[in-house]
Amino acid sequence: QVQLHQWGAGLLKPSETLSLTCAADGGSFRGYYWSWIRQPPGKGLEWIGEVNHNGGTNYNPSLNSRVTISIDMSKNQFSLNLSSVTAADTALYFCARRSGNHFGWFDPWGQGSLVTVSS
Amino acid sequence: DIQMTQSPSSLSASVGDRVTITCRASQNINRNLCWYQQKPGKAPKFLIYAASTLQSGVPSRFSGSGSGTDFTLTISSLQPEDFATYYCQQSFSNPLTFGQGTKLEIK
């Protein structure tokens, strides 16, 4: 049973870069998409983007210019970088594995990382 | 982008009640629809994929239906642990999008 564990800086100043990493314990990276999703306080879920085992990426156009998602197969890890953060990027960030078939469900999820952007 | 609209936004119900949550897509998504349950401060829990197929381990009181643009999640007999927020999500096309959530509260 794959488990995801994530970590990264929790407090940023405006204009800094958000960096989070997610590690997968057990299972293969192949055949899946490795995703990041965020949830502003008291609000709903927003898909940020994903990476596959070949390094191919898909990003949400709303964040496209600021997002980079990368993968390190040797460590079974994938990472999120979000540049030029503002207070609007304050959220609970989740990593998740998305199934590789066209039904595309997210399971499992990481435990979540609260990122606060404040001057 | 495909917009996902859930109704109601919140719902009060009692243990034992049957409840139905609706999710509407802004365009045809076939059966590319998933449901999740989220409790405060926790990651969402995956419940249903392909509109109606229960994930392994999900109680049979949960069921999903629909295709095209209109979908429902039904809980046949509410249990105390079911009080949470529920989200639908379309996997038909990028960007992947979620409904705004339905908060199920105890009456």
Side-chain angles (χ1 to χ4, degrees), chain B residues 33-71:
Chain B
L33 192 283
C34 305
W35 288 98
Y36 301 85
Q37 175 194 70
Q38 187 182 32
K39 296 184 178 179
K42 301 294 187 181
K45 175 186 176 183
F46 168 52
L47 298 176
I48 289 171
Y49 69 96
S52 61
T53 303
L54 258 61
Q55 165 69 336
S56 176
V58 174
S60 59
R61 63 181 180 272
F62 289 90
S63 64
S65 66
S67 65
T69 60
D70 294 318
F71 302 87

Side-chain angles (χ1 to χ4, degrees), chain A residues 35 37 39 43-47 50 58-61 92 94 98 102-107 109-112, chain B residues 1 31-32 34 36 38 41-46 49-50 55 87 89 91-92 94-100:
Chain A
S35 299
I37 295 155
Q39 185 171 38
K43 295 188 178 180
L45 300 162
E46 179 184 30
W47 176 74
E50 62 192 8
N58 295 304
Y59 298 138
N60 192 321
L92 186 58
F94 295 101
R98 187 167 77 89
H102 60 283
F103 292 117
W105 60 84
F106 294 105
D107 184 61
W109 296 60
Q111 80 278 15
Chain B
D1 299 7
R31 294 178 62 81
N32 294 79
C34 305
Y36 301 85
Q38 187 182 32
K42 301 294 187 181
K45 175 186 176 183
F46 168 52
Y49 69 96
Q55 165 69 336
Y87 292 94
Q89 172 241 323
S91 57
F92 183 79
N94 288 337
L96 306 174
T97 47
F98 294 84
Q100 82 280 13

Side-chain angles (χ1 to χ4, degrees), chain A residues 5-119:
Chain A
H5 176 67
Q6 57 184 101
W7 66 91
L11 181 60
L12 297 173
K13 290 182 167 51
S15 80
E16 292 185 332
T17 296
L18 179 158
S19 293
L20 296 173
T21 298
C22 184
D25 296 329
S28 171
F29 261 51
R30 296 181 184 277
Y32 297 97
Y33 294 92
W34 302 89
S35 299
W36 290 95
I37 295 155
R38 70 180 183 177
Q39 185 171 38
K43 295 188 178 180
L45 300 162
E46 179 184 30
W47 176 74
I48 298 169
E50 62 192 8
V51 63
N52 65 20
H53 70 276
N54 290 321
T57 54
N58 295 304
Y59 298 138
N60 192 321
S62 67
L63 299 167
N64 191 27
S65 61
R66 298 194 292 130
V67 174
T68 303
I69 298 176
S70 58
I71 194 166
D72 185 338
M73 295 279 286
S74 68
K75 295 182 179 178
N76 270 19
Q77 294 176 1
F78 61 107
S79 298
L80 167 68
N81 278 1
L82 180 66
S83 63
S84 304
V85 297
T86 69
D89 296 310
T90 293
L92 186 58
Y93 286 75
F94 295 101
C95 60
R97 184 184 72 175
R98 187 167 77 89
S99 65
N101 62 37
H102 60 283
F103 292 117
W105 60 84
F106 294 105
D107 184 61
W109 296 60
Q111 80 278 15
S113 298
L114 180 60
V115 176
T116 302
V117 181
S118 175
S119 55

